[in-house]
């Protein structure tokens, strides 16, 4: 008969319990279990047949640069990490010194919290998945990260393999937390403070004056090859509007056309680099190369509005409690301002089309509140259903 000895499993910042620490008694056999074997059982329990453990180079990048674990602090680790818009992630790490388990777990948990910001607003379902994930300490000397639909079941599966038992049957997936957020009052003291993260260090937007001048004059002889290619794409966009359209009709037509031309640069979500592909912050990257991040979406929308003669500004702000750089636009229709976040509407809905500033604040956008126009009008708000405003 195998002998088991009791240990204590410490759950750190479990979101389902309001961030309180939870403890549960369990046992671990003295037989050695590799992190590869343990992680494989958990991945199988979760049904992750489409994922494989990271190769050594990528695994070490996660451990050293993303989890910020000190070199030599771990002896063995296995990580499963989806890429792109898929937030799923599983890590089982064996530490070189069990006395450092709390410090290691805190470092991994900081990564998990920051990871939520990568998806927040852009891919809400994935942000919820990260939010309800957890980091656990399994004495003696193991730390594990679970970003999955059933983190509690994943913990049970991990403990089962350490005990030499069969993993449990999958549990019903708990309901996702409500995304409804209270809308703050107009008193700026109640707003989430704006503290620019500056991960991208955007100081100057794409210079579109040569394109605007060439479009107005019809003379493209002075354009660079890049700007000529960009202007050609802009001319395609202008074919969807007519002179007799109202500014709202032009805005809507160009917005819809634009969102069909490019996709979000998923490489910034890969965990390997938050910078992503070249030109993903400007209209050339979005309209010519076909991809962009929020800066690319916002500067492209700005360019199209400028070409159409619709008054527009670009707002460089933040999201997710000022931990993530973000950008969007505001348009002025019949002397009233409206907010437009094309990035957060990239999947085709109209949740952030011609909305108020209160709407953005309620969805965790931050910006220089006192130096950006306040959008309060609702006349030209449209959610994609029913009759369009006139």
């Amino acid at each position: 008969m195998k002998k088991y000895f009791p240990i204590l499993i410490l759950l750190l910042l479990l979101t389902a319990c309001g961030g309180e620490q939870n403890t549960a008694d369990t046992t671990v056999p003295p037989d050695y279990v590799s992190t590869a074997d343990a992680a494989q059982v958990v991945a199988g329990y979760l049904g992750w047949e489409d994922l494989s453990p990271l190769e050594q180079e990528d695994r070490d990048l996660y451990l050293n640069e993303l989890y910020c674990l000190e070199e030599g602090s771990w002896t063995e680790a296995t990580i499963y990490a989806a890429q792109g818009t898929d937030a799923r992630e599983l890590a089982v790490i064996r530490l070189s010194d069990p006395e450092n388990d709390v410090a290691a777990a805190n470092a991994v948990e900081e990564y998990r919290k920051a990871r939520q910001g990568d998806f927040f607003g852009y891919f809400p379902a994935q942000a919820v998945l990260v939010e309800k994930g957890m980091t656990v300490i399994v004495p003696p000397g193991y730390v594990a990260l679970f970003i999955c639909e059933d983190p509690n079941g994943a913990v049970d599966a991990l403990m089962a393999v350490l005990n030499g038992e069969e993993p449990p049957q999958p549990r019903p997936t708990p309901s996702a937390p409500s995304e409804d957020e209270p809308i703050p009052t107009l008193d700026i003291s109640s707003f989430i403070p704006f503290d620019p993260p500056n991960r991208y260090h955007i100081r100057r937007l794409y210079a579109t004056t040569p394109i605007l001048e060439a479009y107005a004059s019809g003379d493209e002889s002075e354009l660079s090859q890049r700007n000529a290619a960009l202007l050609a794409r802009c001319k395609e966009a202008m074919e969807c509007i007519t002179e007799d359209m109202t500014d709202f009709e032009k805005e809507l037509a160009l917005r819809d056309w634009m969102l069909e031309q490019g996709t979000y640069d998923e490489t910034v979500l890969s965990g390997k680099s938050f910078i992503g592909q070249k030109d993903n912050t400007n209209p050339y990257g979005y309209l010519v190369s076909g991809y962009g991040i929020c800066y690319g979406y916002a500067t492209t929308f700005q360019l199209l509005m400028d070409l159409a003669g619709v008054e527009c500004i670009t707002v460089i702000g933040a999201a997710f409690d000022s931990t993530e750089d973000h950008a969007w636009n505001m348009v002025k229709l019949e002397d009233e301002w409206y907010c437009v976040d094309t990035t957060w509407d990239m999947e085709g809905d109209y949740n952030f089309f011609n909305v108020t500033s209160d709407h953005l604040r309620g969805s965790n956008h931050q910006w220089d509140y006192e130096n950006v126009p306040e959008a309060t009008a609702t006349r030209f708000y449209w959610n994609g259903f029913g009759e369009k405003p006139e």
Side-chain angles (χ1 to χ4, degrees):
M1 178 182 295
K2 287 186 176 181
K3 294 183 178 179
Y4 300 90
F5 57 90
I7 68 167
L8 187 67
I9 178 170
L10 174 64
L11 305 186
L12 298 177
L13 300 176
L14 177 57
T15 56
C17 299
E20 296 179 358
Q21 296 182 354
N22 295 268
T23 60
D25 291 322
T26 186
T27 57
V28 173
D31 306 272
Y32 167 74
V33 178
S34 71
T35 60
D37 289 342
Q40 183 179 27
V41 170
V42 177
Y45 163 77
L46 294 170
W48 288 3
E49 297 178 355
D50 57 325
L51 295 183
S52 301
L54 295 181
E55 297 294 333
Q56 180 178 341
E57 181 179 357
D58 291 337
R59 180 205 64 183
D60 291 352
L61 182 147
Y62 271 73
L63 292 167
N64 298 328
E65 298 186 22
L66 301 181
Y67 298 167
C68 295
L69 298 181
E70 295 183 4
E71 186 174 353
S73 64
W74 54 274
T75 60
E76 183 185 359
T78 302
I79 301 174
Y80 289 73
Q83 302 297 312
T85 59
D86 188 342
R88 291 176 298 160
E89 191 168 333
L90 160 67
V92 180
I93 306 165
R94 186 166 179 259
L95 304 176
S96 56
D97 183 358
E99 295 294 328
N100 295 328
D101 55 3
V102 173
N106 284 336
V108 175
E109 179 64 10
E110 285 300 313
Y111 161 80
R112 186 194 66 80
K113 291 188 292 184
R115 185 66 167 152
Q116 184 184 355
D118 291 339
F119 296 93
F120 186 82
Y122 305 107
F123 303 97
Q126 297 303 306
V128 170
L129 194 72
V130 181
E131 181 182 18
K132 69 180 184 181
M134 63 175 72
T135 303
V136 303
I137 296 174
V138 185
Y142 286 85
V143 168
L145 168 68
F146 303 102
I147 298 177
C148 57
E149 284 293 342
D150 185 9
N152 290 301
V155 172
D156 291 342
L158 175 62
M159 299 312 305
V161 68
L162 292 177
N163 285 326
E165 302 169 353
E166 291 294 322
Q169 294 297 315
R171 300 175 178 176
T173 302
S175 301
S178 171
E179 295 186 5
D180 294 334
E181 296 287 344
I183 298 177
T185 68
L186 292 179
D187 181 0
I188 194 172
S189 64
S190 68
F191 298 166
I192 297 174
F194 174 51
D195 183 16
N198 289 332
R199 292 174 75 187
Y200 286 86
H201 301 286
I202 299 296
R203 292 290 183 269
R204 183 179 62 184
L205 300 181
Y206 192 86
T208 59
T209 300
I211 297 171
L212 296 171
E213 292 178 349
Y215 181 75
S217 67
D219 181 7
E220 303 179 25
S221 60
E222 299 298 322
L223 288 181
S224 66
Q225 185 176 358
R226 282 167 56 90
N227 280 343
L230 180 53
L231 177 56
R233 295 288 285 134
C234 290
K235 287 181 177 179
E236 294 178 32
M238 293 303 111
E239 292 177 1
C240 70
I241 65 173
T242 59
E243 291 185 359
D244 62 344
M245 284 183 170
T246 65
D247 283 353
F248 167 76
E249 291 171 333
K250 293 177 182 178
E251 176 205 14
L252 178 59
L254 289 171
R255 176 254 186 214
D256 290 349
W257 178 90
M258 171 190 151
L259 290 181
E260 294 177 352
Q261 308 309 308
T263 59
Y264 192 79
D265 180 10
E266 297 180 3
T267 63
V268 301
L269 304 174
S270 67
K272 299 178 182 179
S273 171
F274 62 79
I275 298 299
Q277 302 182 74
K278 181 181 179 181
D279 290 315
N280 63 4
T281 63
N282 62 58
Y284 182 87
Y286 186 85
L287 291 180
V288 179
S289 300
Y291 55 76
I293 59 171
C294 58
Y295 294 110
Y297 277 76
T299 54
T300 300
F301 185 80
Q302 177 75 58
L303 175 57
L304 296 179
M305 292 300 101
D306 290 344
L307 289 168
V310 177
E311 187 170 356
C312 178
I313 61 174
T314 297
V315 180
I316 303 297
F320 199 54
D321 298 340
S322 276
T323 61
E324 293 294 320
D325 292 296
H326 194 40
W328 59 93
N329 303 96
M330 298 184 72
V331 295
K332 197 172 190 179
L333 304 173
E334 297 191 3
D335 294 324
E336 293 183 303
W337 286 104
Y338 298 82
C339 301
V340 183
D341 190 339
T342 53
T343 317
W344 285 25
D345 274 348
M346 62 184 163
E347 295 184 354
D349 50 31
Y350 296 84
N351 295 326
F352 294 92
F353 176 64
N354 287 357
V355 298
T356 63
S357 298
D358 271 350
H359 183 88
L360 291 193
R361 282 189 286 266
S363 55
N364 211 335
H365 288 62
Q366 294 81 44
W367 63 94
D368 186 357
Y369 307 111
E370 295 181 306
N371 293 298
V372 172
E374 181 77 5
T376 60
T378 59
R379 177 183 173 186
F380 289 106
Y381 164 74
W382 189 58
N383 63 1
F385 300 96
E387 296 185 3
K388 298 175 184 176
E390 296 181 356

